[in-house]
Every structure is written in structure tokens, then in C-alpha cells.
């Protein structure tokens, strides 16, 4: 990664991955290591900060799944490297990792694909059902959502996209 590129974690679903070849990833909300995140988590090194941004993207993937009942119940995060100019102003809130992609992201910008394994689908499905309640502060719902974090997302090289789609569809 060169100095002018920023690693961004884009929440997604399996159907969004299927459209990646032809359409890229649509502009929208994503996560990255922002100045607000650095200030909030001053003790964290770069790897820890990236993990926080990645985890938040995985949590946002639950909301995308809530909005697409036909999508396989697997969280998806697409790691992309984009020019800093491709990002809108980050959310200025202390601790926020939220950024806005101002345009679509082409396949060549994809650094890695991350998808839940088959063993996670039950926990992910349960979390999708209560993600709104968790966001509203329900501790039981938050416990269910947090249970998805027990599952590490599997890593795939971008060249494995077709194989990945055949495996998870």
C-alpha cells in the first residue's frame, strides 16, 4: 500500500460480492482508521486500530443482512485500498471509524475478501434478527450480536472470488 492509499473496510453481503465483478462496490458507508479513532484509542497500535475498524464493518454487515432476507447469513467485509480523495470527510465523532466512499470501488482496489464460515450462520442469523434492538440498547440483543464476534471471518484473496461465490451461494 502506498502513502496515498487508505485501507477501508466495506460491509457487504454475498449478493453484493456477486455484483463485484461487473459493478464494483457502490459508494456508501465504510470503516477505516480515522483521526477520531486514533485519538479515542491512543494506546492502540496500527494493527489494533485496523481491527476495530474491521470489526465495526462486520457489525454493519449484520444490518445489510437484515435488509436482504434472501442473502446467505454470512457477514462479508471487503478490504479495499482507495485514494484518500475517494473518501468524504470522516465522521468527526471521537472514536468513530465511519467514512464515506464517494464513488464506486473497482475490483482492482480490492485487497482481500472476508466471509463468515458455514459454522457461523446460526449465530449470524440470530444476530440479524435482533441487531436493531441491540443498537437501541437492549443488553440481551447486544449479547446475541456480540456472539458473532466469536467467529473469525475467513480470508480470501480477490482472485478467489468466483470460487468463494460457488462455495457460499
Amino acid at each position: 500500500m502506498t502513502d496515498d492509499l487508505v485501507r477501508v473496510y466495506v460491509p457487504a453481503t454475498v449478493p453484493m460480492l456477486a455484483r463485484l465483478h461487473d459493478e464494483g462496490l457502490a459508494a456508501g458507508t465504510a470503516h477505516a482508521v480515522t483521526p477520531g479513532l486514533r485519538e479515542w484509542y491512543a494506546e492502540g497500535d496500527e494493527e489494533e486500530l485496523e481491527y476495530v475498524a474491521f470489526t465495526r464493518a462486520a457489525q454493519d454487515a449484520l444490518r445489510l443482512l437484515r435488509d436482504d432476507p434472501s442473502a446467505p447469513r454470512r457477514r462479508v467485509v471487503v478490504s479495499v485500498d482507495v485514494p484518500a480523495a475517494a473518501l468524504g470527510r470522516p465522521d468527526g465523532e471521537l472514536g468513530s471509524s465511519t467514512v464515506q466512499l464517494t464513488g464506486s470501488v473497482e475490483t482492482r482496489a480490492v485487497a482481500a475478501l472476508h466471509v463468515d464460515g458455514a459454522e457461523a450462520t446460526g449465530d449470524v442469523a440470530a444476530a440479524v434478527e435482533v441487531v436493531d434492538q441491540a443498537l437501541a440498547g437492549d443488553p440481551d440483543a447486544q449479547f446475541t450480536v456480540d456472539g458473532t464476534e466469536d467467529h473469525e471471518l475467513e480470508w480470501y484473496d480477490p482472485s478467489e472470488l468466483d470460487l468463494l461465490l460457488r462455495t457460499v451461494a
Side-chain angles (χ1 to χ4, degrees):
M1 192 164 70
T2 63
D3 291 345
D4 61 331
L5 295 178
V6 177
R7 174 63 50 95
V8 178
Y9 304 98
V10 183
T13 62
V14 171
M16 291 170 72
L17 282 182
R19 295 189 297 269
L20 182 59
H21 272 307
D22 298 330
E23 302 171 22
L25 293 170
T29 301
H31 294 271
V33 177
T34 62
L37 183 60
R38 281 186 200 287
E39 185 178 341
W40 170 74
Y41 198 33
E43 299 297 317
D45 64 19
E46 192 67 18
E47 188 173 317
E48 290 172 310
L49 294 171
E50 287 185 9
Y51 184 76
V52 169
F54 177 87
T55 301
R56 290 178 180 172
Q59 290 170 349
D60 281 357
L62 293 173
R63 284 185 273 192
L64 294 173
L65 288 169
R66 173 202 61 205
D67 296 339
D68 186 355
S70 66
R73 292 326 201 203
R74 296 180 188 225
R75 296 168 299 161
V76 175
V77 175
V78 182
S79 296
V80 300
D81 295 325
V82 297
L87 300 176
R89 270 180 74 102
D91 180 346
E93 186 175 324
L94 185 62
S96 177
S97 62
T98 303
V99 295
Q100 293 297 319
L101 290 168
T102 58
S104 65
V105 177
E106 296 179 14
T107 307
R108 63 187 161 104
V110 175
L113 305 166
H114 311 272
V115 181
D116 272 313
E119 76 285 346
T121 58
D123 288 339
V124 170
V128 167
E129 294 299 317
V130 298
V131 68
D132 288 330
Q133 293 93 325
L135 290 169
D138 181 319
D140 292 331
Q142 188 63 52
F143 181 79
T144 301
V145 168
D146 290 346
T148 62
E149 292 179 22
D150 292 340
H151 302 281
E152 291 288 327
L153 276 73
E154 298 172 354
W155 180 92
Y156 294 88
D157 186 87
S159 66
E160 298 176 291
L161 177 58
D162 291 333
L163 173 64
L164 172 61
L165 290 171
R166 285 192 301 272
T167 303
V168 299

